[in-house]
Amino acid sequence: MLHNSKTFTLKPLIAALAFAPGLVIADNQLSQIVVTANNTEQTQRSVTANMHVITREEIEVKQYQTLTDALVSVPGVSFGVNGGRGHAANVYIRGSNRVLVLLNGTPLNDPSSIANTVNFESLQLDDIERIEIVRGAQSAIWGANAAAGVINIITQKATRQGSARVGLTLGDNGYSQLSTALKLVGEDVDASYHFNNTKTDGFTQLKPFKANQNNFERDGYEQTDISLAIGLNPTQRQRIETFVKQTIMDADFDSQFAPDKPNDSDSNRQVKSTIRQLSYQLRHNLFELTSQVSETEIERTEGVGFNYLGKQDQKSLQIQSHYRQDDSTQISIVQSNTSSDQNDITVNNTALNLFNQNQFGKLTLNQALRYDQFNEFKNKTTGRLGAAYAINQHTKLSSNMGTAYTAPSLYQLSYGSTKDLKPEETRDWDIRIETYGFGISYFNSEIHDMIEYEAIGNWGDPDYDDYFYNLAGKSKFSGWEIDYSRNLNPINTLLSLQYSQLKAKDDQGKTLARRPEQSASIDLRFYGLKDTQVNWHTRYIGTKYDYRNDGTQQIGRYFISDLSVNYTVNNHISLHAKVKNLFDEDYTDAVENATGSTPDIVYANGGRQFFIGIRAQL
């Protein structure tokens, strides 16, 4: 339910646990190879940026179904979903939704969407190996739209031996998920194939405030994902990879224009996305060359007669040199074209990126510089500096500062009476210390020329006008992120905690909407029973307003708990079960209509939901 104000903090608890008996979670987490922080392979230990990795093991143990499910415990990350599966979602990093989302390094942002955002609602995790989240301005590495951070989704590939897998999950509201995977490995070639079909009768997207969602019609959903990856090793130094993935989604929704919104049985949206990638890699002594060509095509149908098509193609060439044992430099050239059938605009972008990293004993320094040339607006130069110092084996101090920009979307550039829209400019910095599984970060960010929407008059009136424009001042974001992980060996439990504190204000000092000012989570994974793992997750969402400025509809201050159990029958078969929203919390991520500060129509969350499934593998 929507609660009255309460005070909540995890800081004393974290401070106490930092010195509790136990073993810090294995050091090999810092030794795993990551690629997103600097668009190159490196160990997580050598990264100066604030980074979080969600592994395949975590996805399976906690039974995450979608990307937004997986982001619930990431420090500094929040999100809101407008109803159930298949409905629009927004993801914020440090209070900003200027987030670049990649699949194996290829942008997933939809060029035909209002703000060049991502169809988060269609990102399922059946074929995902890991998810890398980098917080802070990343335009110096990744270019436009990476002002708040980057989420890179890495798909599974065939490993040293072939395998076959099938899984079936059933749940409330007629939910079913069937997934299959096949991996083949030869001497010089490998291939992997994934198929996933998910469907549900769903629950109503909209409902009256505090009403029982079961009293209204259901909004169903179905999605099918098919992917194929083939790898070829012509020599020991060369690698060629091709990857194709297609997603088809069909979802009912409740239109805001329907006479009886919660019982709208006519509105439907369909999304078809296709991603194609081809890459070549050559390693020769101290040099490495990587080239990639990719295409993304997204078709959307919203309601009756509203059809959209967005396309983006990208070509890149990267050369890296390890000129000393712990030092490297790289140069990248990227060319991309972005278009939408909603207008005659095609944005052409050519970029040159330079990156360098040096190791001086315990000190790591990196520098990035990128120049972007555009045909539709002013060219941009962005930079980033990072430093990390290993105080001892267990303690590291790091800091980063950088600039970034967010380009106007094709929709925004041509909408209504919009004129002279400029890219947003971001400046940010952060500092972090990590020791014995405990980490604390402070960040500060400013957005200049933030893009906003304005409507004047009433829809249908002769003098009605609407457009996008740049705010004159600075929008400011700042806050704290605290995380802690420890293996409590005496009680066979892995403990993870996170707490985030956020201030997000526009150029007038008004609180930005739908960003929680406080959020926290606790994860307990118990492995003390033979062949069984039990995971408990509880998260808290603090003060959150549905509309800009304090005093509007308060939709935060609630707890949600999930419980999942995994049981390994033998080497080939495992069973799993999960309860989402265990205590049936009646919360909402957004308000559709309100009278003053009281919500009238809100987005439903589905309430308590049960799932059970089986996996078989050869």
Side-chain angles (χ1 to χ4, degrees), residues 28 44 64 78 124 187 190 203 235 242 277 333 355 376 389 431 433 543 607:
N28 59 16
Q44 192 171 349
Y64 296 142
S78 62
Q124 301 196 91
E187 184 174 350
D190 53 78
F203 50 87
T235 68
T242 182
Q277 298 171 337
I333 300 174
F355 173 77
E376 284 295 328
Y389 182 75
I431 187 169
I433 187 168
T543 302

Side-chain angles (χ1 to χ4, degrees), residues 30 111 124 147 153 220 245 286 291 449 451 462 477 507 521 525 603 612 617:
L30 296 178
Q124 301 196 91
I153 305 167
K245 182 171 184 176
L286 300 179
S291 178
D449 299 323
I451 297 172
F477 304 80
D507 63 328
S521 70
R525 188 195 304 183
Y603 288 91
I612 189 169
Q617 180 170 311

Side-chain angles (χ1 to χ4, degrees), residues 306-418:
F306 295 95
N307 301 310
Y308 306 89
L309 174 63
K311 296 182 179 181
Q312 179 167 295
D313 63 77
Q314 181 171 281
K315 307 175 188 68
S316 65
L317 176 66
Q318 177 179 293
I319 301 174
Q320 183 178 30
S321 171
H322 296 273
Y323 55 89
R324 284 204 300 257
Q325 180 177 356
D326 297 316
D327 300 336
S328 66
T329 188
Q330 68 188 43
I331 180 171
S332 303
I333 300 174
V334 183
Q335 198 281 325
S336 65
N337 304 294
T338 305
S339 62
S340 169
D341 66 345
Q342 298 304 298
N343 50 50
D344 296 327
I345 300 174
T346 297
V347 175
N348 302 317
N349 172 218
T350 301
L352 176 65
N353 166 252
L354 301 173
F355 173 77
N356 183 72
Q357 180 158 306
N358 302 102
Q359 186 84 35
F360 303 99
K362 296 182 178 181
L363 178 65
T364 301
L365 298 175
N366 60 51
Q367 315 87 37
L369 185 68
R370 175 167 169 145
Y371 176 74
D372 284 87
Q373 184 180 66
F374 292 95
N375 66 322
E376 284 295 328
F377 34 79
K378 187 177 178 181
N379 302 335
K380 290 292 179 184
T381 300
T382 52
R384 197 192 73 193
L385 299 173
Y389 182 75
I391 297 173
N392 56 45
Q393 183 180 356
H394 305 287
T395 305
K396 182 175 80 169
L397 177 67
S398 61
S399 183
N400 302 272
M401 61 183 300
T403 59
Y405 69 99
T406 300
S409 70
L410 297 175
Y411 184 98
Q412 291 168 339
L413 285 170
S414 61
Y415 183 81
S417 58
T418 300

Side-chain angles (χ1 to χ4, degrees), residues 199-254:
K199 56 186 176 181
T200 176
D201 296 334
F203 50 87
T204 183
Q205 183 187 18
L206 292 171
K207 71 182 187 76
F209 179 50
K210 293 186 177 180
N212 187 334
Q213 62 192 15
N214 296 322
N215 294 334
F216 305 93
E217 62 86 38
R218 296 175 179 268
D219 292 311
Y221 156 91
E222 183 171 5
Q223 178 170 319
T224 300
D225 299 278
I226 301 174
S227 66
L228 174 66
I230 299 175
L232 177 65
N233 303 308
T235 68
Q236 290 184 344
R237 299 178 182 272
Q238 298 180 80
R239 171 87 175 164
I240 299 173
E241 290 185 355
T242 182
F243 175 81
V244 180
K245 182 171 184 176
Q246 185 171 85
T247 296
I248 299 176
M249 186 191 76
D250 187 298
D252 299 329
F253 69 96
D254 293 330

Side-chain angles (χ1 to χ4, degrees), residues 51 73 127 182 234 254 265 323 328 359 398 435 452 538 609:
M51 187 172 189
S73 298
D127 62 340
L182 179 64
D254 293 330
S265 59
Y323 55 89
S328 66
Q359 186 84 35
S398 61
T435 182
E452 280 293 305
T538 294
Q609 300 174 66

